[in-house]
Amino acid sequence: MKYSKQREMVLQYLLEKKNHPTAEQIYSELKAVVPSLSLATVYRNLNLLCELGKVQRLDTGETVDRFDADISNHAHFICEVCQHVIDIPSEILSDQSIEKQLGSGYQVSSHKLFIYGICPCCKQLKQ
Amino acid sequence: MKYSKQREMVLQYLLEKKNHPTAEQIYSELKAVVPSLSLATVYRNLNLLCELGKVQRLDTGETVDRFDADISNHAHFICEVCQHVIDIPSEILSDQSIEKQLGSGYQVSSHKLFIYGICPCCKQLKQ
DNA sequence: GTCCCTGCAAATCCTTTGCACTCCT
DNA sequence: AGGAGTGCAAAGGATTTGCAGGGAC
């Protein structure tokens, strides 16, 4: 695979800011730096990085996809008040423990866990 | 809310066939029975039923949404070979156990767990 | 020089919406 | 009769694709 400045930028952006951005967010922030950047390029590179396993796509239930360069096993908490997506450490659930519980011939390769509710920050503000 | 034959059909379809269909699948199967049926009506009623809490929407990571009239707490296993969506009993994870593990101020209202892998049926065929 | 990657615009796919008409109540 | 629900077609939003030009190797 050939080097490309645009792909590097997208990956770096995701590695630095861990805010689970949408393609559009990545695009508009990077376009400020490189005005020639195209949204199609951002999408193409996000898909590529997903296929390479360097980035994961989050289907949070919103109409848009979000992206995350943290590919370690972790869950996501989506706050119903502030809409922020918060990383949750993996201890809650592992592929192995799922496979053990499913038993009888299931082969587990991955899982996605989305938790919805109110984050500590918003919960405190409400009180 | 007023009775409508179309809404009743959509709900009945979901209650009977538990195959997690897409809006398009529901539409084409029911259109065979009532040819005047419109896809927009299927979408409108699916959204309504979701709001009423009689149906849940599944964001499996495919481009299309799937729907499920089983609103009890259960996970979904998506077979990477046959693409079938299989219901997994709830014992794996409950909102309460998540909340307990998150601790420190998180309030959990719901969660979605998608497990990806190979189902027993396809695993056996491969061997 | 070759071929992958880009930017742009058009296309595609899923879903929603506006409007006139229908049919519950 | 009144208003929610329908069907149709057109609009909408997110993402992908075709193509000509540009950059990596």
Side-chain angles (χ1 to χ4, degrees):
Chain A
M1 177 185 313
K2 211 181 269 187
Y3 170 88
S4 113
K5 185 177 69 178
Q6 288 84 342
R7 181 154 54 245
E8 199 56 35
M9 287 173 68
V10 170
L11 182 54
Q12 281 311 313
Y13 181 91
L14 282 168
L15 287 169
E16 283 164 24
K17 314 220 175 177
K18 296 169 181 267
N19 55 338
H20 315 88
T22 64
E24 191 70 43
Q25 282 170 3
I26 299 170
Y27 167 67
S28 60
E29 288 217 32
L30 292 183
K31 194 174 178 71
V33 183
V34 178
S36 66
L37 183 66
S38 143
L39 181 55
T41 298
V42 173
Y43 273 111
R44 268 188 292 239
N45 282 313
L46 285 171
N47 286 336
L48 245 161
L49 291 166
C50 282
E51 281 165 33
L52 293 172
K54 296 189 171 179
V55 162
Q56 67 170 319
R57 182 189 309 268
L58 307 179
D59 314 289
T60 61
E62 300 161 294
T63 54
V64 287
D65 284 351
R66 295 183 172 275
F67 296 88
D68 189 351
D70 180 354
I71 51 165
S72 71
N73 173 35
H74 64 287
H76 291 95
F77 185 97
I78 293 133
C79 178
E80 290 163 339
V81 177
C82 66
Q83 309 298 324
H84 281 173
V85 180
I86 301 166
D87 288 315
I88 301 294
S90 62
E91 294 97 55
I92 288 183
L93 202 60
S94 73
D95 287 343
Q96 294 90 324
S97 76
I98 292 174
E99 198 163 90
K100 196 180 293 177
Q101 286 185 77
L102 291 182
S104 70
Y106 281 93
Q107 184 178 319
V108 175
S109 66
S110 67
H111 73 271
K112 292 179 182 171
L113 173 58
F114 294 103
I115 305 163
Y116 301 85
I118 304 176
C119 73
C121 187
C122 290
K123 198 181 169 192
Q124 199 154 37
L125 283 174
K126 267 177 69 180
Q127 286 166 349
Chain B
M1 178 183 320
K2 209 182 271 186
Y3 170 87
S4 114
K5 186 177 68 178
Q6 289 84 341
R7 179 156 53 245
E8 199 55 37
M9 287 174 69
V10 169
L11 181 55
Q12 280 311 313
Y13 181 92
L14 282 167
L15 286 169
E16 283 164 23
K17 314 220 176 178
K18 297 172 181 265
N19 54 337
H20 315 87
T22 64
E24 189 69 45
Q25 282 170 3
I26 299 169
Y27 167 66
S28 59
E29 288 217 32
L30 293 182
K31 195 175 177 69
V33 183
V34 178
S36 66
L37 183 65
S38 144
L39 181 55
T41 298
V42 173
Y43 273 108
R44 268 189 291 239
N45 281 312
L46 285 171
N47 286 337
L48 245 161
L49 291 166
C50 283
E51 281 164 35
L52 293 173
K54 296 190 172 181
V55 162
Q56 67 170 318
R57 183 188 309 267
L58 307 179
D59 314 290
T60 61
E62 301 160 295
T63 54
V64 286
D65 284 351
R66 295 184 171 275
F67 295 87
D68 189 350
D70 180 354
I71 53 166
S72 70
N73 172 35
H74 65 289
H76 291 95
F77 185 98
I78 294 135
C79 178
E80 290 163 338
V81 177
C82 67
Q83 310 297 325
H84 281 173
V85 180
I86 301 165
D87 288 316
I88 302 294
S90 63
E91 294 96 54
I92 288 183
L93 202 60
S94 73
D95 286 343
Q96 294 89 325
S97 76
I98 293 173
E99 198 164 88
K100 196 179 294 177
Q101 285 185 78
L102 290 183
S104 70
Y106 281 94
Q107 183 178 321
V108 175
S109 67
S110 67
H111 73 271
K112 292 179 182 172
L113 173 58
F114 294 103
I115 305 164
Y116 300 86
I118 304 177
C119 73
C121 187
C122 290
K123 198 180 168 193
Q124 198 155 38
L125 284 172
K126 267 177 69 180
Q127 284 166 352

